[in-house]
Amino acid sequence: MSVLKLAKLNFSNRCYIFGSCSGLLLIYIGGLFVANPFTNTFRLLDHSSSSLLPWIVGGDGRYYFPNEHEYPQGNNARTERAMCVGFAVNRTTKSFKIVCILEMETGYGFEINDGYCWRLSETTINASSKSDLTTRMKPVYLDGTLHWLRNDGSIIAFNPETEQARMIPSIFHRESDMKLLFAADDNINRLTLILGTKETISVYALRKNSKWILARQIKNVSMEDSILVSWNMVAYDGKHLVVREMKKNTFKGLVHVEGLVHVEGLVHVYDMKANSWRVLGLPWCPSHYDRDFYKFMPSLFPVEEDEQTKVIIASDDQRIRYLTAVMRLTDTTK
Ligand SMILES: *[C@@H]1O[C@H](CO)[C@@H](O)[C@H](O)[C@H]1NC(C)=O
Ligand SMILES: *[C@@H]1O[C@H](CO)[C@@H](O)[C@H](O)[C@H]1NC(C)=O
Ligand SMILES: CC(=O)N[C@H]1CO[C@H](CO)[C@@H](O)[C@@H]1O
């Protein structure tokens, strides 16, 4: 597989993709679903007894969290805390686990769902220094372990199978104008940190000694300052780096609405082997949701449950219409 498959997230109250792993999506559309877009199958999970998810997906203005942060809006909680939800698929057993990282007074705890129930892992981990999880930076699943990045560059690693947690004390220095992407290089099986300025994008790989080593430096894609609204690095797999640029609409003939800037998104892909940029497409995407891109690799992994525990959903359920629409986004034949 040489090309990144992207599933674009259409962010609205009704829809949020939490994760994509081995061809399965963890997605919220009025309910929490695990879906396989390739086989067009899905499964509804009960998230009501999770200590984190109702707070993230709720939208009624009442939010409470163990550390007593209050968010006035559900969408805020969603955009800023959705990265606490990790999604992992075990390719051998073809089973999935959802892991929520819980920030507590002195450290972190983990809540796990294996498709049936939510439970708190006995594992907790204390950090030696205080640093927040990097907002909106999705956890990276590598070597059977979920990794969450903190603002100081250290990483919290949790293995959903063994339920062992550890801190990786890596640090990096980031200038305030630098863009950041936490990812994995699938070729060399290493965690990767990508720091970008408008001129240069630097790719760092994590060594066994917990040091970030500069692996690669590439020139940015040329972006026209006069029409550039924002840009971000949104996906990386070791072969390709995906950059999303938001720029003022330059199409002629569009009715200009006063006070409203027409913004369009442009997706650039850098081929790490060919050392070249190309334009992937010009999808419509809302300007403020930079990170809503997902690597997607079709698989035949099942999501169905056994008949006894199956949650029946009417076929005309509104949520299924949305879910089907989102699953279609990943159709790579179009
Ligand atoms: C973390 O710190 C708390 C309070 O100091 C302590 O009770 C707990 O045992 C510690 N956990 C670990 C895993 O060290
Ligand atoms: C998948 O599950 C099996 C059985 O529990 C376990 O031995 C294996 O380590 C798991 N693989 C990963 C990558 O977690
Ligand atoms: C926006 C911006 O700074 N673009 C620069 C990207 O890098 C090229 C050289 O590779 C410059 O010419 C552009 O000005």
Side-chain angles (χ1 to χ4, degrees), residues 139-152:
V140 173
Y141 184 58
L142 183 72
D143 280 342
T145 302
L146 282 159
H147 301 84
W148 280 271
L149 184 71
R150 305 202 314 164
N151 286 335
D152 63 0

Side-chain angles (χ1 to χ4, degrees), residues 106 124-126:
T106 55
T124 59
I125 186 165
N126 287 339

Side-chain angles (χ1 to χ4, degrees), residues 52-77:
L52 186 67
L53 269 159
W55 178 76
I56 293 179
V57 300
D60 60 358
R62 290 181 291 113
Y63 300 102
Y64 171 78
F65 195 54
N67 63 8
E68 291 181 5
H69 283 162
E70 274 183 26
Y71 289 86
Q73 283 184 9
N75 279 356
N76 251 355

Side-chain angles (χ1 to χ4, degrees), residues 167-232:
M167 284 287 300
I168 302 174
S170 48
I171 44 169
F172 67 87
H173 177 68
R174 175 190 180 190
E175 308 286 346
S176 60
D177 64 338
M178 276 181 176
K179 305 288 176 169
L180 184 72
L181 178 68
F182 182 45
D185 185 328
D186 298 335
N187 297 329
I188 55 170
N189 235 30
R190 288 235 189 276
L191 289 174
T192 302
L193 198 59
I194 305 176
L195 292 176
T197 66
K198 274 198 288 185
E199 288 74 37
T200 313
I201 293 174
S202 306
V203 180
Y204 294 84
L206 190 68
R207 286 276 174 86
K208 288 237 154 56
N209 61 5
S210 302
K211 289 219 161 51
W212 292 107
I213 300 296
L214 182 63
R216 204 56 203 275
Q217 230 163 8
I218 59 185
K219 274 190 179 158
N220 78 327
V221 58
S222 155
M223 289 176 273
E224 238 180 288
D225 263 332
S226 59
I227 54 166
L228 182 66
V229 176
S230 69
W231 71 284
N232 233 315

Side-chain angles (χ1 to χ4, degrees), residues 226-229 246-265 282 284-285 287:
S226 59
I227 54 166
L228 182 66
V229 176
M246 298 304 301
K247 56 184 191 173
K248 287 178 198 146
N249 201 325
T250 50
F251 288 149
K252 301 282 181 287
L254 253 177
V255 185
H256 179 77
V257 184
E258 210 170 326
L260 226 166
V261 186
H262 293 281
V263 176
E264 65 185 17
L282 215 154
W284 177 88
C285 13
S287 53

